[in-house]
Amino acid sequence: MKLHFFNPSHEEALASGSPLYCPSQAARLFGSDAGALPALWAAAGDVVLLAPDAPPPPRWAVERGVLFERLDRLPRRVVQGATAVDVWGWDAAVARLLARAGVAPSLLPGPDRLDAIRCLSHRRRVTELLPRLRRALPLSVGSSHWCTSPAEVEALARRHGPLVCKAPWSGSGRGVFRYDAPGCAATRRVEALVRRQGGVEAEPLYRRRLDFAAEFTATPDGAVRYAGLSVFLTTAAGAYAGNLVAPEGVLLARVEQEVGPRAFGAAVAALESELPRLLAGRYVGPLGVDMMSVMTDRGPRLHPCVELNLRHTMGSVALSLRAWTGGDGPWRFVVAPCGTAAAAGAGAVCLTPGGRRFEAALLPQMS
């Protein structure tokens, strides 16, 4: 029996680095309201752990044979029967939370492994990985720079024009901001990140056309195996705005229309070769590599690594939803304020009813 737990505060916890980290109110409410999401990939008989104030589990999850328990009153039989634990993302704070709930230490990563995951999740890993991928994919584009001073960011802006800057630990568009030129409003934010977290990742501001990701699983034998394609939507500011849910072939056709018939497959092959070298067996579990199609003077080109996420992602949620929808669609998976997504139109399905602020929903995708 495997225990599952949804901790969307993972990136915040990594940035903190402390097992005593307390999630922001928004992250805590999202984790509570959408705590049933791991039932999408849990097996019958597995247990999804819910926050004490989480709404009752949705009917679809119960009908799949998934069990639910509150984290603050975890029965002894569940603790003793557990053979593995799967969380949204591993960090020191969630490991401490589960230990305090009674989960056996043997099922939780120790300090050394947690430190390794935090190190591997740092944005400097993208700066290291991207040049290797570019060498394997000569028609691809993209550059990433790790800057440890505001002066380095200023120099890049003078060379490339507007930049996108990213906090060392961040995801889903959080901690990502535009830097237009030396002395712009974002300068103080860069200074704060350098002072508090040691630096900032900076890359040119690309003319983005399509966002997508390759989802993988890192296995105990050190391999990294492709799991599926995710096509997702973002706001103008780069924040996550939803995923398309459709068969692999439908999504692949859309991506190949942008970057060519073999570019994505070549990128997957390159990642399956390079990621095991980067991870060196120090991470086991789901991971996603965000990519995008960008417009260049030579037409659309593939940027093969915008982010590396060593955790479950909304893309892995979308992959699980393929089976849930029976392969029809396409659909759009969204996270929205309560009462808005499920009311968007005929055929909309709320996956996490009963929340106080957030709901995850499937909407018919019309285009």
Side-chain angles (χ1 to χ4, degrees), residues 50-53 69-75 100-101:
L50 298 176
D53 58 348
E69 297 289 350
R70 303 285 170 172
L71 197 59
D72 60 335
R73 49 179 188 268
L74 201 54
R100 288 170 62 88

Side-chain angles (χ1 to χ4, degrees), residues 31-302:
S32 174
D33 289 350
L37 280 179
L40 288 167
W41 52 85
D46 283 357
V47 175
V48 174
L49 305 177
L50 298 176
D53 58 348
R59 179 180 297 179
W60 63 263
V62 175
E63 291 175 347
R64 293 191 70 243
V66 178
L67 307 176
F68 293 84
E69 297 289 350
R70 303 285 170 172
L71 197 59
D72 60 335
R73 49 179 188 268
L74 201 54
R76 181 177 296 273
R77 59 175 174 76
V78 172
V79 172
Q80 293 177 339
T83 57
V85 179
D86 181 37
V87 299
W88 185 256
W90 280 114
D91 53 69
V94 75
R96 178 177 182 270
L97 179 69
L98 294 175
R100 288 170 62 88
V103 176
S106 60
L107 300 181
L108 303 175
D112 290 346
R113 184 180 164 203
L114 290 169
D115 286 345
I117 292 172
R118 185 170 188 262
C119 177
L120 291 169
S121 299
H122 196 284
R123 288 201 183 270
R124 291 189 72 173
R125 304 294 85 78
V126 171
T127 302
E128 297 166 1
L129 179 60
L130 183 55
R132 304 179 195 175
L133 297 175
R134 290 287 313 279
R135 286 193 290 271
L137 306 165
L139 296 180
S140 64
V141 299
S143 63
S144 171
H145 308 268
W146 176 247
C147 301
T148 57
S149 72
E152 291 180 71
V153 178
E154 292 177 5
L156 280 174
R158 290 191 179 96
R159 189 186 322 158
H160 295 289
L163 306 173
V164 173
C165 292
K166 302 177 181 181
W169 290 278
S170 56
S172 300
R174 296 182 297 273
V176 178
F177 56 97
R178 177 169 170 161
Y179 182 100
D180 285 304
C184 68
T187 300
R188 289 187 178 180
R189 195 168 180 182
V190 168
E191 293 170 348
L193 284 171
V194 168
R195 183 173 62 254
R196 297 172 185 169
Q197 298 189 36
V200 62
E201 184 201 354
E203 62 184 47
L205 178 65
Y206 297 103
R207 291 180 284 169
R208 184 177 62 216
R209 290 171 55 90
L210 182 68
D211 293 291
F212 49 98
E215 304 294 334
F216 296 90
T217 300
T219 58
D221 62 1
V224 174
R225 296 185 172 88
Y226 178 67
L229 169 60
S230 159
V231 175
F232 59 96
L233 311 172
T234 56
T235 66
Y240 175 77
N243 257 88
L244 298 185
V245 179
E248 178 87 0
V250 173
L251 299 181
L252 184 60
R254 181 159 183 174
V255 169
E256 290 184 339
Q257 185 177 18
E258 284 287 327
V259 298
R262 290 177 291 276
F264 179 75
V268 167
L271 285 162
E272 287 182 323
S273 173
E274 293 294 342
L275 284 172
R277 302 175 191 176
L278 179 69
L279 301 181
R282 294 177 292 171
Y283 175 78
V284 174
L287 65 97
V289 178
D290 289 356
M291 309 179 187
M292 61 183 176
S293 164
V294 301
M295 180 56 71
T296 72
D297 294 339
R298 298 167 294 164
R301 289 291 187 271
L302 172 68

